[in-house]
Amino acid sequence: MPSDEVADVRATKDAIGTVLSVRSSVVDVHFSRRLPPLHTRLDAGPEGDIVLEVVSHHENGIARSIALSPTRGLSRGDPVIDTGDMIRIPVGSAVLGRMFNFENTIDADPLLLDGPSRGIHQRSSALSRRVTVSEVFETGIKAIDLLSPLERGGKAGLVGGAGVGKTVLITELISNTMGKHRGVSIFCGIGERSREAEELYRDIEEAGVLDNTVMVFGQMNEPPGARYLVGHSALTMAEYFRDEERRDVLLLIDNIFRFLQAGSEVSGLLGKMPSRVGYQPTLATEIAGLQERISNTATGAITSIQAIYVPADDFTDPSATHTFPHLSASIMLSRKRASEGLYPAMDPLNSWSKMLTPRVVGQRHYSVAQQVRGTLAQYEELRDIIAMLGLEELSMEDRRVVNRARRLERFLTQPFVTTEQFTGYSGRVVGLQDAIEGCERILNDEFAHRPEGDLYMLGRIDEIESRADGAGETPDRASEVGDS
């Protein structure tokens, strides 16, 4: 709404309310004449700097709202102004290179940018406007591109518990894809650490892609209302670039679970009866409302890569099971593989992608991926026999399977650019064809007599030649762990 219209609204008595109660982030406001609609922005506090959003209506002219900023200093009887509009955020080229919370810049200039703006609550695109494409989005990470290829314009999830490498993996994806991505990149941090936001900002700036990137954060020290809405803020910016500027958008979200957790906190503050495992009763609706806005139209595509934290490694948790149906690819991260030093700790047997079909990726890629999965599945079945009786009790064919599987596991590890300072390995970006070729050669037993450690933390398979026997051999932490 233009500023002069907002001023007119504020000038009317209908737009003035009074604070009835303040309970943490929940503020009840009484309006004597007209209740503001749901999702309306209210300004409260002595300076009008406490932002509220109407979430429900109650009898006797009471509008219940959730605070998006700290309510310190707000007390019963304070005036509240109905702005007559929902929360709006700046959009367009002016936001590129900037860092935002749910509506304001937080990097340099604290004031709102001049230019176009949009309300953060928008309907998802109509089915008649949507288009589907079957195009692979390459990441430069061997295990993902081979076994769980991402879809351009799709939604991919990096799924795992705490400490298995979700944030590291999404940071590497940023490093690998932002530089070659022709559209706009938007990073949305929901409920993450302030330190990570600052480090990521500097990394993107040093990589030289900040001018084509927008960063939106609702950090873990902010009220639950702000953390809940920051995902919708980032999507509003993405939709504008897609619809108005006709550009492709790469949307990276860390972390979807924190969005649902913020919704659960808001639900509890509002006094709603919790459902299964203590989550809000509107869990499925809330995640669908966010995910369905991520779609492709004739004007552009929004490709989304999302980190999804799984509480206590329980993949049957409602927060995970309600997210899976919306994804086109799921990269499951395994604590067991992380403990064995196999990074990225992707579980090749449980990860999946709807793109992995001969029609989309080609027969060669599909066949190699299926052979790799089959070999690793056979090895998994033989692990118990090896642990109880030893490798010597296996048949020669089973020994060859184990030999191939262990070399495949190590070849599918990869040194990351973002972890060079911690691992000592120089980061690698590996093309899809190089990954396919390497796995084909291992499946053909070309490296059956080479030490397993020679294939650990490689880029392309050709790099094995630089690791002469006994000279310059890299330590294989996975071999130290053993077969148990």
Side-chain angles (χ1 to χ4, degrees), residues 323-367:
T323 304
F324 290 151
H326 298 280
L327 304 178
S328 58
S330 180
I331 299 151
M332 314 295 282
L333 302 179
S334 163
R335 190 172 304 280
K336 179 175 180 292
R337 294 180 69 81
S339 68
E340 293 175 349
L342 299 172
Y343 292 104
M346 172 180 165
D347 186 337
L349 301 181
N350 289 322
S351 300
W352 58 270
S353 170
K354 73 174 188 180
M355 301 294 288
L356 193 59
T357 64
R359 184 181 62 84
V360 177
V361 300
Q363 186 61 48
R364 182 191 179 207
H365 180 175
Y366 177 77
S367 298

Side-chain angles (χ1 to χ4, degrees), residues 409-424:
E409 282 185 333
R410 282 145 186 79
F411 177 65
L412 291 176
T413 62
Q414 186 170 335
F416 284 171
V417 174
T418 54
T419 59
E420 286 181 4
Q421 58 182 323
F422 306 110
T423 64

Side-chain angles (χ1 to χ4, degrees), residues 259-306:
F259 164 76
L260 296 175
Q261 187 181 50
S264 179
E265 292 178 45
V266 170
S267 178
L269 289 169
L270 295 174
K272 295 180 181 178
M273 183 69 69
S275 63
R276 190 159 61 101
V277 201
Y279 286 103
Q280 62 271 42
T282 54
L283 172 68
T285 303
E286 290 175 6
I287 190 65
L290 184 76
Q291 296 285 1
E292 287 305 304
R293 291 179 65 181
I294 305 172
S295 61
N296 303 338
T297 66
T299 57
I302 299 177
T303 302
S304 175
I305 302 174
Q306 311 168 10

Side-chain angles (χ1 to χ4, degrees), residues 78-96:
D78 284 351
V80 177
I81 298 174
D82 171 13
T83 65
D85 197 3
M86 68 176 68
I87 293 169
R88 304 184 71 86
I89 58 167
V91 293
S93 300
V95 305
L96 293 174

Side-chain angles (χ1 to χ4, degrees), residues 1-12 15 34 36-37 39-43 81-91 103 112-120 122:
M1 178 180 291
S3 58
D4 55 343
E5 294 183 24
V6 172
D8 291 340
V9 171
R10 292 185 176 186
T12 66
R34 181 182 64 85
H39 300 312
T40 298
R41 171 182 173 145
L42 308 178
D43 291 340
I81 298 174
D82 171 13
T83 65
D85 197 3
M86 68 176 68
I87 293 169
R88 304 184 71 86
I89 58 167
V91 293
E103 65 169 354
L112 285 173
L113 301 176
D114 293 331
S117 64
R118 268 192 177 184
I120 63 174
Q122 302 288 336

Side-chain angles (χ1 to χ4, degrees), residues 181-199:
H181 182 64
R182 297 185 297 273
V184 174
S185 300
I186 298 178
F187 181 87
C188 176
I190 305 176
E192 293 301 303
R193 302 169 185 84
S194 303
R195 168 186 57 79
E196 292 177 344
E198 193 271 343
E199 290 175 355

